[in-house]
């Protein structure tokens, strides 16, 4: 079975003439043969330019919580933008969105932005300004966006260069990052209480913030061990360090109140983006009153021409209203649970060692081991090549998770019971295909 990708490849060739590597984000480049060009999506499905249909589990790396082109969101945006999109004054819509976020997540104060990168960058500045300290802790395999400070030992870093886990090496994810920045970052393995305690005991005076994705949204959805997030909270309190939850992937996805609600931990600052706008560019920093109050004009810089623009705000207003008033996330959990169980069942029956990680709205699995991966190093001990082969066999059958096992499967409200049934059928066939090759 091979899809016809004639038009796709021709258009991708054209893209490369003017766009470096034919993509506007390096994460989208799958090589000359497999990078798709997608003109449209509807609900849980997307189509390439050759009209091959896929049940979409990448969901643009997480934002699509309701479905592609979701009617009520599109209508709210279309109607709002007729009256203009940008005024460089506060709009009533911004106030309403901030109120919704505060009500749903329990944060006191909210500032809006456009992308995850933008709000994690500002969150770090706020934490530094509040504490008067400059360094911060992050965890290996966690990704917080494209600004220089956080691009060390991310999910793109091979385990072989991370160094000894007692003294991890900060590995830049990219050329072009000034070497001096390395000194501000302390990377540690996720879920390792002992390493974190030791590090803070020795260095807390310098540490402004602990940045954490509460579950590893860029490493197969690896879960926090019971007590891990509580320990981080306790240590932040003990040493007056700002706890920043990066909820760009978990926010408005694993619960209406995100990871704070799901795990029952209140952070000091929280970064939101993705699901809050169902695919429109909108992001937010939420936080405790005392911490957010440093954003005083003339004191701590935060701004941007497009922050609070009408397009993103109208999308967030509609998306959050739907999440607040309809059983969206509950439904996603039910269908996602069925999918996770089905995947586990099929792999078990085929005798392929595996471990399924994450939560139904954002989950992953690791092949080649039955041990729960607890950090990024453990994740990389899995069989990534077999995973990719399996996913490519699935894509041939019209089911589209990301080919890289670090990127979780995402579900939307538009994934129907029928989509799940079709996915599980395709999964069984794909497993049989790769089983023949191992
Ligand atoms: C946890 C996390 N933080 C931040 C970002 C950056 O968000 P954006 O791509 O909107 O800049 C991402 C993107 O995937 C992410 O997964």
């Amino acid at each position: 079975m091979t899809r016809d990708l004639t038009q796709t490849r021709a258009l991708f060739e054209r893209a490369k003439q003017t766009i470096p590597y034919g993509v506007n984000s390096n994460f989208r480049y799958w090589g000359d043969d497999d990078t798709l060009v997608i003109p449209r999506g509807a609900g849980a499905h997307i189509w390439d330019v050759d009209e091959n249909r896929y049940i979409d589990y990448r969901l643009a790396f997480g934002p699509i919580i309701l479905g592609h082109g979701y009617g009520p969101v599109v209508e709210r945006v279309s109607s709002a933008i007729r009256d203009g999109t940008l005024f460089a004054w506060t709009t009533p819509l911004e106030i309403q969105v901030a109120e919704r976020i505060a009500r749903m997540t329990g944060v006191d104060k909210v500032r809006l932005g456009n992308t995850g990168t933008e709000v994690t960058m500002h969150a770090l500045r706020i934490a530094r300004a509040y504490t008067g300290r400059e360094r911060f802790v992050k965890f290996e395999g966690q990704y917080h966006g494209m600004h220089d400070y956080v691009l060390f030992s991310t999910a793109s870093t091979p385990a072989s260069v991370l160094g000894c886990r007692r003294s991890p090496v900060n590995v830049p994810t990219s050329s072009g990052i000034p070497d001096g920045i390395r000194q501000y970052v302390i990377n540690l393995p996720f879920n390792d209480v002992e390493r974190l305690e030791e590090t803070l005991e020795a260095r807390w005076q310098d540490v402004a913030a602990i940045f954490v994705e509460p579950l590893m949204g860029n490493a197969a959805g690896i879960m926090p061990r019971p007590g891990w997030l509580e320990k981080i909270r306790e240590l932040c309190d003990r040493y007056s360090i700002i706890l920043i939850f990066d909820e760009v992937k978990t926010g408005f996805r694993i619960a209406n109140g995100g990871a704070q609600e799901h795990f029952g931990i209140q952070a000091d600052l929280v970064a939101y983006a993705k699901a809050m706008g169902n695919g429109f560019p909108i992001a937010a920093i939420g936080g405790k009153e005392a911490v957010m109050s440093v954003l005083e004009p003339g004191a701590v810089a935060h701004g941007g021409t497009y922050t609070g623009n009408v397009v993103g705000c109208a999308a967030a207003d509609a998306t959050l209203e739907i999440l607040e008033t309809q059983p969206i996330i509950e439904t996603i959990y039910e269908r996602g649970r069925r999918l996770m169980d089905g995947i586990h069942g099929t792999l078990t029956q085929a005798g392929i060692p595996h471990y399924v990680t994450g939560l139904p709205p954002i989950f992953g699995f690791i092949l080649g081991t039955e041990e729960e991966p607890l950090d990024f190093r453990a994740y990389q001990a899995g069989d990534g090549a077999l995973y990719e082969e399996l996913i490519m066999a699935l894509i041939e059958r019209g089911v589209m998770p990301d080919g890289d096992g670090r990127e979780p499967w995402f579900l939307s409200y538009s994934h129907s019971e029928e989509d799940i049934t079709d996915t599980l059928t395709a999964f069984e066939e794909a497993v049989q295909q790769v089983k023949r090759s191992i």
Side-chain angles (χ1 to χ4, degrees):
M1 172 198 309
T2 332
R3 286 164 296 159
D4 179 8
L5 290 174
T6 315
Q7 310 286 336
T8 300
R9 287 187 183 142
L11 204 50
F12 185 59
E13 275 308 308
R14 184 176 139 203
K16 285 192 298 181
Q17 305 300 311
T18 42
I19 302 172
Y21 301 92
V23 289
N24 276 308
S25 165
N26 285 354
F27 298 120
R28 299 176 196 161
Y29 181 73
W30 285 23
D32 285 356
D33 289 341
D34 292 315
T35 304
L36 296 183
V37 181
I38 302 288
R40 72 189 165 99
H45 304 134
I46 56 174
W47 286 262
D48 65 29
V49 285
D50 290 282
E51 282 296 315
N52 298 299
R53 191 196 84 160
Y54 307 92
I55 305 175
D56 186 14
Y57 292 99
R58 289 169 84 241
L59 296 180
F61 300 137
I64 311 299
I65 188 76
L66 299 171
H68 290 288
Y70 201 75
V73 179
V74 173
E75 279 149 30
R76 183 83 54 95
V77 173
S78 312
S79 138
I81 63 177
R82 285 197 193 101
D83 291 327
T85 54
L86 211 56
F87 314 110
W89 294 111
T90 297
T91 65
L93 207 47
E94 285 174 74
I95 303 169
Q96 194 155 302
V97 169
E99 286 169 352
R100 282 194 195 285
I101 293 171
R103 191 163 61 233
M104 291 169 80
T105 66
V107 299
D108 298 328
K109 288 277 165 75
V110 178
R111 275 278 175 102
L112 296 175
N114 301 289
T115 68
T117 295
E118 191 187 319
V119 290
T120 61
M121 180 184 79
H122 282 112
L124 186 55
R125 181 177 305 132
I126 294 169
R128 285 171 159 160
Y130 185 79
T131 58
R133 305 171 186 166
E134 293 192 339
R135 294 197 161 86
F136 68 98
V137 171
K138 73 174 278 299
F139 299 98
E140 293 169 347
Q142 300 221 313
Y143 174 67
H144 302 294
M146 281 286 173
H147 54 102
D148 288 351
Y149 283 114
V150 291
L151 277 179
F152 288 90
S153 304
T154 60
S156 309
T157 312
S160 55
V161 296
L162 288 173
C164 164
R165 64 183 298 133
R166 291 194 63 79
S167 52
V169 176
N170 281 331
V171 185
T173 302
S174 168
S175 294
I177 296 176
D179 197 49
I181 286 190
R182 188 194 301 265
Q183 65 176 301
Y184 297 106
V185 191
I186 303 169
N187 265 290
L188 296 174
F190 192 68
N191 269 328
D192 190 333
V193 169
E194 209 185 321
R195 286 287 85 70
L196 182 63
E197 278 183 328
E198 265 176 23
T199 305
L200 292 182
E201 206 178 317
R203 305 176 69 177
W204 65 268
Q205 292 94 336
D206 294 336
V207 177
I210 298 183
F211 237 110
V212 62
E213 289 181 76
L215 67 81
M216 297 194 72
N218 289 280
I222 292 173
M223 291 291 281
R225 255 187 180 140
W228 166 244
L229 295 173
E230 288 80 355
K231 177 55 80 175
I232 298 180
R233 179 69 272 177
E234 180 197 319
L235 292 170
C236 283
D237 288 341
R238 186 186 308 162
Y239 295 120
S240 300
I241 292 168
I242 297 296
L243 173 53
I244 306 176
F245 268 13
D246 181 345
E247 294 228 42
V248 167
K249 278 190 167 166
T250 53
F252 308 103
R253 173 166 282 286
I254 65 170
N256 273 352
Q260 292 197 112
E261 178 184 327
H262 183 86
F263 295 112
I265 310 278
Q266 205 74 24
D268 301 309
L269 290 174
V270 191
Y272 297 109
K274 305 216 179 207
M276 69 180 278
N278 193 49
F280 286 86
I282 176 91
I285 312 165
K288 292 190 173 156
E289 169 100 45
V291 184
M292 292 293 278
S293 68
V294 301
L295 287 174
E296 188 187 333
V300 175
H302 169 258
T305 302
Y306 297 101
T307 51
N309 73 78
V310 171
V311 179
C313 282
D317 191 48
T319 304
L320 299 180
E321 181 183 336
I322 293 166
L323 287 176
E324 261 194 304
T325 53
Q326 297 176 37
I328 303 294
I329 292 186
E330 293 90 316
T331 308
I332 292 177
Y333 265 83
E334 277 166 29
R335 297 189 185 147
R337 176 62 61 200
R338 202 181 132 221
L339 185 55
M340 288 171 90
D341 289 349
I343 286 172
H344 171 58
T346 300
L347 290 170
T348 306
Q349 235 173 16
I352 298 178
H354 64 279
Y355 195 95
V356 182
T357 50
L359 296 169
I362 168 172
F363 71 89
F365 57 92
I366 176 171
L367 297 177
T369 172
E370 292 189 335
E371 235 172 83
E372 179 177 10
L374 288 172
D375 61 32
F376 188 53
R377 293 166 187 247
Y379 167 77
Q380 291 200 36
D383 190 339
L386 179 61
Y387 184 93
E388 187 179 337
E389 197 185 331
L390 175 62
I391 298 305
M392 292 317 282
L394 263 183
I395 290 173
E396 282 294 337
R397 290 168 173 80
V399 173
M400 171 79 77
D402 203 78
D404 185 329
R406 290 169 291 193
E407 191 59 33
W409 293 46
F410 293 99
L411 253 78
S412 79
Y413 183 61
S414 293
H415 285 80
S416 64
E417 292 290 355
E418 195 187 342
D419 288 320
I420 305 297
T421 303
D422 292 349
T423 301
L424 289 173
T425 304
F427 193 80
E428 277 176 33
E429 290 173 13
V431 165
Q432 288 313 315
Q433 181 185 322
V434 299
K435 220 185 132 188
R436 282 195 292 276
S437 71
I438 54 178

